[in-house]
Amino acid sequence: DGRVVPFARVLTGMGLFSDLGSESVWVFTPEAGVKFMANDRVGVQTSVGFPILMDDGESANGFRFFAGIVIRK
């Protein structure tokens, strides 16, 4: 009925890595989640992602959890 909508997305861009100082790195994040709509206008969305930070041939992996409110016009 459209009230539960699974999704997948890929986020990419530059990020700031500050482990040993400030350094810009490229970040690639595959992500999957689900949107639960209470009605046509309001719902909640959750997702998990696994950021991969890359710079000069080195990489680091992470974990991202997101939860938020959906409000449609």
Side-chain angles (χ1 to χ4, degrees):
D1 66 16
R3 291 193 183 262
V4 178
V5 180
F7 65 90
R9 63 183 168 202
V10 174
L11 307 173
T12 188
M14 297 301 292
L16 183 63
F17 186 66
S18 59
D19 189 27
L20 297 172
S22 296
E23 183 177 347
S24 294
V25 296
W26 185 69
V27 183
F28 173 82
T29 307
E31 191 169 287
V34 64
K35 188 182 305 182
F36 302 96
M37 297 302 294
N39 55 44
D40 290 340
R41 297 195 58 200
V42 179
V44 295
Q45 177 174 309
T46 63
S47 64
V48 294
F50 302 93
I52 303 165
L53 294 82
M54 293 181 254
D55 185 48
D56 292 333
E58 296 183 28
S59 66
N61 299 323
F63 176 78
R64 176 181 186 268
F65 174 77
F66 170 82
I69 298 171
V70 177
I71 301 174
R72 294 183 180 164
K73 290 185 179 182

